[in-house]
Every structure is written in C-alpha cells, then in structure tokens.
Amino acid sequence: VRKTAARIELVYNYFPRLAERRKQLAGYLSGGEQQMLAIGRALMAGPRIMMLDEPSMGLSPLLVQEVCGIVRRLNQQEGLTILLVEQNASFALAVADHGYIMEDGKVVLEGSAAELRGNEEVQKFSPGGGKKEGGGFRKVKWYRRKKRWV
C-alpha cells in the first residue's frame, strides 16, 4: 500500500493537472492530459525503462514543451531510461542523449543528440525546417547505404 501511495504521489508531482482532475473519467480529459495519464499509468508499475511512442502527437506547442520537460526530468531525476519513438525531431533531440534517424525501416543516420541537432540535413527534414529538396534522406548527398544486417 505504501509503495502504491508513493507512486501515486510521484505521478501527481510530475503531473499536477492529473491531481486536479483525479475524479474525472479519462475520456473527458484533454489530449495533453490523456498523454500525461498514459505516462502516469506506466510510472505506477515502477519501470526502469519506458517506451514512449509519439508523445507529442496532437499536442499544442505549449504542451509539447511541458511533456518534453517532464520526460527529461523523469530521466534525470528518477534515473528512468526512456526509449522515445518520435517524428518531431526537435522534441526528440531536446530530450535524447543519442538518436537514430530512420527512413523506410532503415537507420540512415545516428549520433549523439547534439551532433544530430547540429546536422543541417536533420534540420532540413524536421518539422518547420521545410522539406526543400524532397524525397527524404535518400536524395541527400551524404547518405550512403550501409549494410546493417549479417
């Protein structure tokens, strides 16, 4: 019982909005609140690793920043390893230590988050960067196909 109460308190500390709305049904929460609830539910299991699939999808830019900060804090303060699958490169690289850029199921680029943030081609294909040349990473000069299988 103590463990459960401590975990509920942890979730409410990270997501005070959930504490305010704890009597509401999940279906009546906003999209951002539902995303917070999904993360909070996962935290209740006391994981050491958590996979988040598109946590920024459908959220306003303000909520994306809030979720980004919470994900970063969970990693730094709770020691939680997070596997993040995200199309929003700026969000993903803001919270990641290391990243892999994939296209059509293949890794086309990898490196530290700082290296990838500074990469001109990653910026070009990120939301807001504009896909000026079109065609994805395959048409970018530096892309060289590498065999990644045995």
Side-chain angles (χ1 to χ4, degrees), residues 35 39 52-57 59 67 71 84-86 91:
Q35 190 64 267
I39 295 170
L52 298 176
D53 185 16
E54 300 283 349
S56 72
M57 184 180 281
L59 301 183
V67 170
V71 169
L84 180 65
V85 179
E86 180 64 62
F91 170 84

Side-chain angles (χ1 to χ4, degrees), residues 29-104:
L29 299 175
S30 72
E33 292 165 345
Q34 287 182 10
Q35 190 64 267
M36 293 173 190
L37 179 62
I39 295 170
R41 288 178 65 194
L43 288 173
M44 289 300 296
R48 291 184 304 181
I49 184 168
M50 182 187 303
M51 179 178 174
L52 298 176
D53 185 16
E54 300 283 349
S56 72
M57 184 180 281
L59 301 183
S60 70
L62 188 60
L63 274 176
V64 169
Q65 285 182 336
E66 187 176 340
V67 170
C68 179
I70 290 167
V71 169
R72 193 178 307 121
R73 284 178 37 222
L74 284 169
N75 173 255
Q76 294 170 350
Q77 295 173 1
E78 304 302 322
L80 184 62
T81 299
I82 298 171
L83 174 60
L84 180 65
V85 179
E86 180 64 62
Q87 287 188 28
N88 182 338
S90 57
F91 170 84
L93 295 174
V95 299
D97 295 322
H98 195 85
Y100 296 88
I101 306 291
M102 296 182 72
E103 185 172 54
D104 296 329

Side-chain angles (χ1 to χ4, degrees), residues 12 17-30 33-34 37:
Y12 287 160
R17 247 185 260 167
L18 293 180
E20 296 167 10
R21 293 179 176 38
R22 69 180 167 266
K23 301 284 185 193
Q24 283 186 311
L25 295 174
Y28 292 112
L29 299 175
S30 72
E33 292 165 345
Q34 287 182 10
L37 179 62

